[in-house]
């Protein structure tokens, strides 16, 4: 693996982690999004990824929405309540989003560190070549 390969692979990892961070930010922003009962709830976005078929890192394959039944509660004073007084809560778990935020930010940081190390290695190799 060359220095350029390491930089390319780390770049793909940083790109996927950035997409993951964006999804987490959207999910956290909507953790309290309530809708009238009977309407589709907000569902957390989950980024899917896989190894690059060419062996050069990782690629995001898409976004899927969190599955499962949405919690419904009786809240007749809520302006979004339906005629019976029920509201639908999001299918979104704040504690899971916070864990995902930590994991995705660490993934991003690690990929940036790899890119920095590869850059330093390349610069040192150029300096060696200049001394010859």
């Amino acid at each position: 693996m060359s220095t350029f390969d390491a930089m390319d692979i780390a770049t793909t990892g940083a790109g996927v982690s950035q997409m993951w961070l964006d999804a987490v930010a959207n999910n956290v922003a909507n953790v309290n999004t309530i809708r009238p009962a009977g309407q589709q709830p907000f569902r957390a976005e989950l980024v899917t990824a896989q190894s690059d078929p060419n062996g050069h890192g990782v690629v995001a394959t898409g976004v899927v929405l969190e599955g499962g039944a949405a919690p419904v509660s009786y809240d007749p004073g809520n302006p979004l309540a339906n005629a019976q007084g029920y509201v639908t809560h999001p299918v979104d778990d704040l504690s899971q989003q916070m864990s995902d935020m930590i994991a995705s930010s660490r993934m991003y940081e690690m990929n940036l560190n790899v890119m920095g190390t590869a850059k330093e290695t390349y610069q040192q190799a150029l300096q060696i070549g200049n001394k010859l």
Side-chain angles (χ1 to χ4, degrees):
M1 175 185 297
S2 75
T3 301
F4 291 118
D5 288 340
M7 289 180 80
D8 290 344
I9 291 169
T11 300
T12 66
V16 169
S17 59
Q18 181 62 55
M19 186 176 178
W20 190 12
L21 278 166
D22 291 344
V24 168
N26 185 50
N27 294 342
V28 169
N30 284 287
V31 76
N32 291 318
T33 299
I34 295 175
R35 301 214 171 115
Q39 284 192 8
Q40 286 297 314
F42 172 82
R43 293 184 179 277
E45 297 175 342
L46 310 170
V47 175
T48 58
Q50 68 180 30
S51 297
D52 184 305
N54 300 319
H56 295 289
V58 64
V59 293
T61 56
V63 175
V64 295
L65 299 179
E66 185 76 49
V72 176
S73 68
Y74 183 69
D75 188 3
N78 190 311
L80 294 176
N82 67 4
Q84 294 78 30
Y86 289 94
V87 294
T88 302
H89 296 271
V91 182
D92 194 0
D93 180 8
L94 182 58
S95 61
Q96 181 63 51
Q97 297 307 320
M98 297 308 288
S99 296
D100 286 352
M101 181 182 65
I102 292 168
S104 59
S105 63
R106 285 184 180 164
M107 178 179 157
Y108 185 77
E109 182 180 347
M110 285 186 284
N111 280 292
L112 291 182
N113 286 339
V114 168
M115 288 190 296
T117 301
K119 178 182 173 186
E120 288 174 19
T121 303
Y122 182 67
Q123 288 175 337
Q124 289 175 358
L126 285 175
Q127 289 176 2
I128 292 171
N130 288 336
K131 292 179 182 178
L132 296 176

